[in-house]
Amino acid sequence: MRARLGDDIDDYCVKCKRIMNHSVVSLMGDEPAKVRCRTCHQDHDYRHEQPPPPKVDPRKAALFNEVLKTVAGAQPADGEAPAEADEKPKAKKKARA
Ligand SMILES: [Zn+2]
């Protein structure tokens, strides 16, 4: 069926987060190119009623955790900097004793 400007069409609305009634506002050949949600009046590309992919990509989340581990491991070991500061109090103790 040929789509025409102003036609009613079902599509996924990212704002309403569900399939909503839309109006065709732009055409690419016989296919709707842009549609407007009749509920929130948001214009967007025609999605063929497909919701967008979820924002959290499990592979990216795993990569992010790997990076976190690397950053944690790159930090100086505990006690490396305070070791120098410890020498002075020890010397004082020896002098007092
Ligand atoms: Zn909407």
Side-chain angles (χ1 to χ4, degrees):
M1 190 189 83
R2 244 183 99 103
R4 289 190 296 181
L5 288 181
D7 274 1
D8 288 352
I9 191 169
D10 282 347
D11 197 15
Y12 184 90
C13 174
V14 282
K15 250 188 164 180
C16 302
K17 292 187 168 65
R18 60 193 298 177
I19 304 279
M20 300 299 285
N21 277 327
H22 285 71
S23 298
V24 177
V25 294
S26 173
L27 286 170
M28 186 91 77
D30 290 349
E31 284 273 297
K34 292 217 168 197
V35 294
R36 175 176 299 155
C37 176
R38 292 196 146 200
T39 301
C40 69
H41 305 288
Q42 166 110 337
D43 287 14
H44 58 82
D45 292 341
Y46 181 53
R47 299 174 177 279
H48 299 265
E49 299 182 31
Q50 295 302 309
K55 278 183 184 173
V56 177
D57 182 337
R59 284 186 311 169
K60 276 185 188 169
L63 263 179
F64 183 67
N65 283 336
E66 285 297 312
V67 170
L68 270 187
K69 274 187 216 164
T70 309
V71 169
Q75 281 173 355
D78 281 346
E80 195 175 311
E84 247 181 290
D86 279 348
E87 279 179 28
K88 283 177 187 174
K90 270 179 198 170
K92 273 184 188 174
K93 271 185 187 177
K94 273 182 191 173
R96 280 180 192 171

